[in-house]
Amino acid sequence: MSLLRVSKRAELPQGRVALIRTAAVLLSLAAAAAALAAFGLNPLDIYGAIVEGAFGTGMRARQTVIKAVPLIITSLGILVAFKMKFWNIGGEGQIMAGAFAAAYVALYHGDLPRPLLLPLMALAGMAMGGVWALIPGLFKAKLGTNETIFTLMMNYIAIKFVEYLQFGPWKDPEAGGFPKIAIFPENAVLPNILGVHAGWVVALAAVAAVHLFMNHTKKGFEISVVGESAETARYAGMNITGVIVAAMLASGGLCGLTGMIQASAIDKTLGVGLSANYGFTAIITAWLARLNAVALLFVCVAFAVLLQGSAYIQLAMKVPAAVAGVVQGIILFFVLGSEFFLQYKVSRKGRV
Amino acid sequence: MESFLIAAVAASTPLIFATLGELVTEKSGSLNLGVEGMMLMGAVVGFMAGFNTGSPAAALLGAMAAGAGGALLFAFLTVSLRANQVVTGLTLTIFGKGFASFLGQPMLGLVEPKSVAAFFSKKGIPFLEDIPFFGPIFFKQDVMVYAGYALTALLAVYMFKTKLGLNMRATGENTAAADASGVNVTAHKYAHVIFGGALCGLGGAYLALVEVPVWQSDVVVGRGWIAVALVIFASWRPVKAFAVSLVFGGLSILGLRMQSLGLHISQYLVDMLPYLATIAIVVVSAYRNRKGDLPPGDLSVPYFREER
């Protein structure tokens, strides 16, 4: 530190900001490449295979979209909470809670006509996901409890509960002793639109809805203000508890919706693997998108490419799909680090 | 009962290491939420080193290096580059998970060599193990359990009885004041974050080397997060941290025990207990925080000298 001097810099022009961020992402890909090479893998082959695996055939491209859908909707949920500086890392549990409620409707009221059943499942999923997020939200509002740990513990509780159902009361008697929950009736499965299940339409609508909500409604504005400073919000006469309730219902509700979509369209039942880490990946995507709903759409598609491509290289090249997790982490590390260069200037001593 | 308590002490050991690691980190002013990730990194590297060399020392060193490496990344980003600590810690957890499953996938189901297992087998301490009741529970354990006792005592002395410990606490309480009085705050933050990470790595390694010496995909399953909660519950005091870790060690094996006693409660519901109890303690801690017992004053506040 002695040879270098760090000082605050004035606001940078938009172009420079974009340049620094792009450089950070490119550098992170280079660093990930170096890490892959260190494990004896050829990074160019891997990157090539990821793209190939994500777009190579129509089927793979559809798989990429299918992976983008839950990521987009969950990330939107995380976005709403993070805007309020409420560190909701309970996406996994909220997805599970939503999937549970949707599965309850599907399994016990599966004889309802589809146009009624599917919206009912979605509503139940959103309500349950919302409640799952609201519990830590209320404790935060009333007692100032640490929401990071609370929401995370709610993940394990939701997963254990689904495990309990799967091995206990909801175990399918027709599965020959195999611990699984019954497959949903036909009516409870989302139909396809243009070759991919209808979740993609829901995801696009959710991007628009969250964008409008955060930027053009009073509640959305209040969420941002509470995030900036609870003091300011209180001074301005906002009902902070009310804002937290609204934000957490929206945040958990979106995650719950993801749970309903995954249960209905992908698994066609409820199972412990359903949340598939989307709740955690969404933290990265929401942050990379700088909590902007439109940017989030693009980041999530890019990450879906990474996820689908990694699933493909596991099959094609016998490289563990977990490589995606490593690359995601590296990208976010670089982007986090790059923020420093947007705010501060490093110069040699004596030449400021 | 006695066998349950013996198992509970062993089950609490990874929590003790991780909780003390995070405690030191937080006392020096950094909130590193990457505990879960550093434990996983320690677990996978420790297992790998032990498996390939057959040397317990290599396994422990590898685990410490992995945890410390993750923590170094955190320190560089948050101390030098002043990145948001919450998000950086979360990223470290996500990265650690990916890192562990990537490195661990080819090792799934592999068993740790005998030389390593023998080193971590239970060995009684002469005389102490003969104390009625307490002897077998506390002094007929493996070396890591004893290391946990020693570490707790050493940290308590270091933090509250030495000058270095005082400087470290000053850095965490009021970074600007510590800086002004000549403490090298950057060095203190780096050193304690990295030391804390090494301890988390050891905690993870215990799970992979001692508790179940077979590599599994996710050995940590939330213990890192429980450790973060225990630090708060222990009001940032090492001896208290040791005590609450013991309780949670017991809770974490309750499900298995109740089954073997023939109690007909679903194992999955009993398995929720440590997580429910963790929620209970964050709530209790928050309630208590209103009457003193506060976290270090400058916890998770990035420090920039020119903004003083």
Side-chain angles (χ1 to χ4, degrees):
Chain A
M1 238 19 194
S2 57
L3 288 173
L4 298 173
R5 215 190 102 80
V6 175
S7 50
K8 270 241 151 153
R9 63 158 110 228
E11 194 89 355
L12 275 174
Q14 281 283 303
R16 281 291 294 282
V17 173
L19 189 72
I20 290 181
R21 294 226 167 94
T22 314
V25 173
L26 289 178
L27 272 175
S28 68
L29 289 176
L36 291 173
F39 285 110
L41 301 167
N42 181 337
L44 289 181
D45 285 356
I46 299 268
Y47 287 167
I50 285 178
V51 175
E52 170 71 24
F55 300 112
T57 64
M59 213 266 282
R60 289 181 202 154
R62 280 196 290 278
Q63 280 300 321
T64 305
V65 175
I66 284 174
K67 291 203 162 62
V69 168
L71 198 52
I72 293 167
I73 302 176
T74 311
S75 306
L76 290 169
I78 299 298
L79 177 152
V80 176
F82 275 27
K83 265 280 182 198
M84 202 171 66
K85 295 227 167 68
F86 184 103
W87 307 112
N88 176 12
I89 53 176
E92 292 280 300
Q94 290 145 27
I95 292 174
M96 277 297 188
F100 156 71
Y104 176 82
V105 174
L107 293 173
Y108 289 90
H109 302 282
D111 45 356
L112 290 171
R114 181 182 272 192
L116 192 63
L117 183 62
L118 285 175
L120 211 58
M121 285 167 67
L123 275 177
M126 290 172 75
M128 197 65 202
V131 166
W132 212 246
L134 185 61
I135 298 168
L138 282 178
F139 273 97
K140 167 95 173 178
K142 293 297 176 198
L143 283 172
T145 50
N146 181 316
E147 76 277 17
T148 335
I149 297 167
F150 204 137
T151 51
L152 197 103
M153 292 299 136
M154 295 291 279
N155 287 344
Y156 291 107
I157 292 169
I159 290 165
K160 285 287 168 201
F161 180 65
V162 170
E163 211 169 350
Y164 160 71
L165 292 175
Q166 189 178 333
F167 285 83
W170 281 17
K171 189 164 136 183
D172 184 3
E174 281 155 41
F178 195 71
K180 62 185 285 300
I181 294 169
I183 297 287
F184 289 175
E186 190 65 25
N187 274 356
V189 176
L190 276 178
N192 278 4
I193 298 180
L194 303 177
V196 179
H197 71 74
W200 68 270
V201 182
V202 179
L204 289 180
V207 169
V210 170
H211 179 77
L212 289 175
F213 175 67
M214 293 309 292
N215 297 301
H216 298 284
T217 68
K218 183 159 167 262
K219 262 288 175 286
F221 173 71
E222 287 181 341
I223 289 172
S224 305
V225 174
V226 171
E228 288 302 319
S229 157
E231 284 308 308
T232 309
R234 199 167 293 125
Y235 190 69
M238 291 176 193
N239 170 2
I240 295 190
T241 304
V243 174
I244 292 181
V245 168
M248 292 327 288
L249 282 177
S251 178
L254 284 161
C255 295
L257 182 60
T258 302
M260 176 269 172
I261 291 174
Q262 295 304 94
S264 164
I266 307 299
D267 291 16
K268 301 184 175 64
T269 181
L270 177 67
V272 277
L274 184 133
S275 53
N277 255 339
Y278 285 117
F280 289 114
T281 311
I283 295 168
I284 302 188
T285 44
W287 194 259
L288 282 178
R290 303 194 51 76
L291 307 185
N292 173 313
V294 179
L296 181 146
L297 177 63
F298 294 96
V299 174
C300 287
V301 170
F303 266 61
V305 168
L306 189 59
L307 288 176
Q308 166 58 20
S310 310
Y312 168 77
I313 59 172
Q314 170 146 347
L315 289 175
M317 303 172 76
K318 306 264 178 277
V319 174
V323 84
V326 177
V327 174
Q328 287 165 14
I330 293 176
I331 294 175
L332 189 54
F333 277 136
F334 270 83
V335 173
L336 283 169
S338 72
E339 294 298 306
F340 173 79
F341 297 98
L342 298 176
Q343 286 179 36
Y344 300 95
K345 181 161 73 185
V346 183
S347 49
R348 248 188 267 151
K349 267 222 163 119
R351 283 210 302 164
V352 179
Chain B
M1 185 63 187
E2 197 177 83
S3 74
F4 170 72
L5 291 175
I6 294 172
V9 170
S12 69
T13 301
L15 282 176
I16 289 170
F17 277 96
T19 306
L20 291 176
E22 179 66 8
L23 190 149
V24 170
T25 305
E26 290 193 16
K27 263 295 181 187
S28 69
S30 298
L31 176 68
N32 185 352
L33 295 182
V35 181
E36 181 92 1
M38 294 185 292
M39 286 179 82
L40 275 163
M41 291 166 79
V44 72
V45 173
F47 189 92
M48 210 174 198
F51 184 81
N52 289 319
T53 64
S55 148
L60 293 177
L61 282 176
M64 285 169 73
L72 173 64
L73 213 55
F74 176 88
F76 177 68
L77 284 168
T78 60
V79 179
S80 295
L81 297 184
R82 294 170 202 131
N84 180 308
Q85 293 190 0
V86 172
V87 181
T88 308
L90 289 176
T91 310
L92 182 54
T93 286
I94 292 165
F95 174 78
K97 274 193 167 181
F99 181 86
S101 40
F102 177 65
L103 278 189
Q105 191 137 337
M107 301 196 299
L108 280 173
L110 291 183
V111 182
E112 200 58 28
K114 288 227 162 51
S115 53
V116 178
F119 179 79
F120 293 114
S121 64
K122 293 200 188 307
K123 297 180 189 74
I125 298 180
F127 305 117
L128 289 177
E129 65 173 319
D130 299 326
I131 302 173
F133 189 66
F134 293 105
I137 294 170
F138 289 102
F139 301 111
K140 224 172 166 177
Q141 294 280 4
D142 59 78
V143 279
M144 294 298 282
V145 176
Y146 302 139
Y149 302 162
L151 185 70
T152 308
L154 286 175
L155 270 183
V157 172
Y158 167 74
M159 277 171 53
F160 297 105
K161 305 281 178 212
T162 69
K163 179 144 186 289
L164 267 179
L166 176 68
N167 286 345
M168 177 268 260
R169 285 186 291 134
T171 306
E173 287 301 334
N174 189 333
T175 315
D179 190 14
S181 63
V183 176
N184 186 341
V185 291
T186 308
H188 267 279
K189 287 192 176 200
Y190 262 93
H192 291 100
V193 168
I194 292 171
F195 177 64
L199 293 186
C200 293
L202 277 181
Y206 188 86
L207 293 166
L209 292 169
V210 190
E211 203 161 82
V212 187
V214 179
W215 182 253
Q216 303 160 325
S217 55
D218 184 3
V219 285
V220 181
V221 284
R223 286 187 185 82
W225 290 103
I226 293 181
V228 176
L230 291 182
V231 172
I232 305 172
F233 193 51
S235 327
W236 293 268
R237 287 170 195 280
V239 179
K240 263 183 147 180
F242 179 86
V244 292
S245 299
L246 280 183
V247 174
F248 270 72
L251 276 181
S252 70
I253 56 165
L254 204 57
L256 288 173
R257 286 286 147 171
M258 286 174 82
Q259 262 203 334
S260 64
L261 288 176
L263 286 174
H264 293 290
I265 301 173
S266 166
Q267 176 200 343
Y268 306 102
L269 294 181
V270 181
D271 282 348
M272 285 181 190
L273 272 178
Y275 308 117
L276 283 168
T278 306
I279 290 178
I281 65 166
V282 270
V283 173
V284 171
S285 309
Y287 188 71
R288 253 190 354 202
N289 269 355
R290 314 207 132 181
K291 324 173 280 193
D293 253 348
L294 290 169
D298 272 350
L299 183 63
S300 88
V301 182
Y303 177 64
F304 184 38
R305 189 181 271 180
E306 296 191 9
E307 278 169 1
R308 257 196 324 219

